[in-house]
Amino acid sequence: MKHVIIGNGIAGVCAAEAIRSMDATADITLIGDETFPPYSRPMISHVLDGSQPHGKLPIRSEHFYNEQKITPLLGRRAGGIDVANRQVLLADDTRIDFDRLLIATGADPRPLKAEGLDLQNIFYMRTQEHARQQVAALGRSRRAVVLGGGLVGFKAAYGLLKRGLGVTMLITSGYPLSMQVDQTAGRMILDELIRHGLTVEVGVSVRAFEGNGSVQAAVTEDGTRLPCDMVIIGKGVLPCRALIPKGQIEVDLGVVVDEHLQTRAPGIYAAGDVAEMVDIARGCRWVNALWPEAACQGRVAGLNMAGRPVAYPGSLSRNVMRVFDLDVLTVGDANASEDEGCRVLQSGGAAKGYYRRLVLKDDVLVGAVMINRIEQGGVLRSLIENRIPIRLPPEILMRTGFNFGRLLH
C-alpha cells in the first residue's frame, strides 16, 4: 500500500506514525515545503520572546524519517492532486503515485490588503523561518506595530515587549481575543494589556506601510501615521487549499471530511488546520485550527488509511493562556448569544478579579469563558464533549465554590 502525506506538520507526522504502527511494510512518502525537521508551531512565540532557543523547536529527532522508514520529499511544494490517476503533482511537474492520500497542508496566514507589504521587517508569524527572521531583526528595531488582537497577535506583542521594544497593537474589533471571548472578558484583557505597557488601539485597521527599503511607519485607515521599524501581522489563518481540485473534493472554508476524516473522494483524507468537520459544541461543520486537534486528527486519519476504522468525535475549540496576570480559558462556542437560542450565565467582572460566562443550549453546556479561577476548565470541557444535560438553577451553577465535577456522575 502506497501512502502519500502532503504536509510535514504535526498532523502529517502523527498520521505517518499511526500508519507505520499498523503496517511495518507500507510505503510512506511525506511531502513538505519546508526543509526544517518537524517542529512545534506553538513554540515559535517562545523563540521570539527569548525564553527558548530556535534549536528547541524540533519535535522529532534528525533520524525520524529513517527510523519510521518514511521517504521525505522536503523543500518540495505540492501543486495539485490528480484524483482520477491517483497522483500528487509537485510544483516541478513531478508526479507521485498514491493508493491513500492525506491532505495535511495546514493553514497560511490570512493575507493583509495594504500597500508597502514588500518592505523589509514586515513579518507574519507562522513558520520557524518567520521566527528566525524576527529574532534577527530585533537588534535594529525599537518600535513595533502588531496587527491583530487574537492569540498570535498577543503572543507577538508580548514577545516584542519582553525584548524591550515599544509595542502598539492595532485591533480591528472592539477588544482583544474577540473570536474567543465576549465583551466583558475582552475589556478585562484589554485593560491588562495596557496596564503592562502595551499601547492598544481598537477599531483600527492599516491601509499602508511606508519606508525606504525597510518599514518606517504604518498608516491607518484614517491617515494616522505610526512610526515603527518592525511589524508583525497576526490576523489569523486560512486553510491552505489552493491545490484541491474543485468539484472532486468538497471544500467549504476547509476540506470537508466525514467522521473517519475521509473526503468525498475515496481513499483521500484530510486532517489538521486544513480540515473541516463537525464541531462538537456548535453542531455544525467548523475549522478549529488547534495544535492538539491536528495531532489527534492526524493519528485518526493515519489509522483509517492503514485499514483500522476509527471514528473521530468532532473538533472542539479551546484555549488556555496567561495574559500577564490573568489566566484565561475558553472552550466551545463561548461567544454564542441568547439571540441564537442560548441561555447565557455570567458572574464576576473586573471589580471582582475574576469572570465566568457559561453558555447553554437545550440544557447542554456548549461554551465557557473563565478569567482567573479556571481550575474547573477541564470539567467544563468534559461536559461539552459528552453533552451532559444540566438542569440546575443558574444561582447554583454560578456559585463561586460550585463543583462542576458533580455533574459528570
Side-chain angles (χ1 to χ4, degrees), residues 76-243:
R76 313 280 294 276
R77 190 170 186 88
I81 300 170
D82 185 337
V83 175
N85 291 309
R86 316 294 282 180
Q87 292 179 324
V88 174
L89 287 63
L90 302 187
D92 61 3
D93 295 329
T94 301
R95 289 175 173 260
I96 308 296
D97 297 320
F98 67 82
D99 297 308
R100 300 284 187 271
L101 172 67
L102 175 65
I103 302 167
T105 47
D108 289 329
R110 188 181 295 272
L112 179 71
K113 295 181 180 180
E115 298 177 6
L117 281 169
D118 57 341
L119 292 169
Q120 293 182 11
N121 284 5
I122 298 177
F123 306 103
Y124 288 97
M125 191 170 168
R126 183 66 179 167
T127 68
Q128 59 83 27
E129 179 60 17
H130 292 152
R132 187 192 65 77
Q133 293 174 358
Q134 290 160 10
V135 172
L138 289 173
R140 56 183 183 272
S141 303
R142 295 293 178 270
R143 294 172 295 186
V145 167
V146 174
L147 306 184
L151 294 172
V152 172
F154 166 70
K155 290 178 179 180
Y158 173 81
L160 295 173
L161 188 69
K162 188 176 177 182
R163 291 281 196 166
L165 277 66
V167 184
T168 298
M169 290 184 72
L170 301 181
I171 303 175
T172 303
S173 59
Y175 53 87
L177 302 181
S178 61
M179 298 298 292
Q180 286 84 29
V181 304
D182 66 319
Q183 185 174 8
T184 300
R187 294 298 304 185
M188 291 177 68
I189 294 168
L190 175 60
D191 291 343
E192 186 74 1
L193 297 180
I194 294 172
R195 188 169 71 86
H196 281 83
L198 288 171
T199 299
V200 185
E201 298 188 20
V202 299
V204 176
S205 298
V206 165
R207 63 175 174 83
F209 300 102
E210 297 178 346
N212 183 15
S214 294
V215 66
Q216 295 174 317
V219 183
T220 65
E221 291 288 357
D222 66 2
T224 301
R225 187 176 183 276
L226 301 173
C228 61
D229 36 34
M230 187 172 182
V231 173
I232 294 184
I233 303 169
K235 303 284 287 183
V237 297
L238 290 173
C240 186
R241 59 186 193 182
L243 79 167

Side-chain angles (χ1 to χ4, degrees), residues 23-68:
D23 187 344
T25 62
D27 186 332
I28 304 174
T29 298
L30 194 151
I31 303 167
D33 57 1
E34 295 185 74
T35 57
F36 200 74
Y39 62 93
S40 170
R41 289 197 191 277
M43 284 281 288
I44 289 174
S45 62
H46 298 297
V47 173
L48 177 60
D49 69 27
S51 61
Q52 294 293 334
H54 199 273
K56 289 289 188 179
L57 286 177
I59 56 173
R60 299 293 185 272
S61 78
E62 59 183 2
H63 307 296
F64 167 71
Y65 303 108
N66 286 335
E67 291 171 348
Q68 294 291 323

Side-chain angles (χ1 to χ4, degrees), residues 6-7 77-83 87-89 98 101-106 108 238-257 263-265 268-271 273-276:
I6 307 175
R77 190 170 186 88
I81 300 170
D82 185 337
V83 175
Q87 292 179 324
V88 174
L89 287 63
F98 67 82
L101 172 67
L102 175 65
I103 302 167
T105 47
D108 289 329
L238 290 173
C240 186
R241 59 186 193 182
L243 79 167
I244 310 300
K246 295 179 180 178
Q248 299 180 61
I249 297 174
E250 185 179 359
V251 175
D252 191 2
L253 177 60
V255 177
V256 178
V257 295
T263 71
R264 76 177 187 183
I268 299 179
Y269 299 76
D273 294 358
V274 73
E276 180 175 328

Side-chain angles (χ1 to χ4, degrees), residues 293-363:
E293 287 284 344
C296 191
Q297 290 169 24
R299 175 168 173 75
V300 170
L303 292 174
N304 281 289
M305 291 168 70
R308 179 181 175 184
V310 178
Y312 194 70
S315 64
L316 182 67
S317 173
R318 73 270 190 188
N319 278 291
V320 180
M321 64 184 301
R322 181 85 172 173
V323 180
F324 294 110
D325 296 328
L326 298 181
D327 292 316
V328 180
L329 178 144
T330 68
V331 58
D333 191 8
N335 259 342
S337 68
E338 294 180 347
D339 293 339
E340 301 171 70
C342 296
R343 183 163 57 122
V344 178
L345 309 178
Q346 296 169 286
S347 66
K352 295 186 176 180
Y354 79 95
Y355 177 64
R356 179 184 293 171
R357 170 186 170 93
L358 303 180
V359 182
L360 297 98
K361 190 168 188 177
D362 300 326
D363 291 327

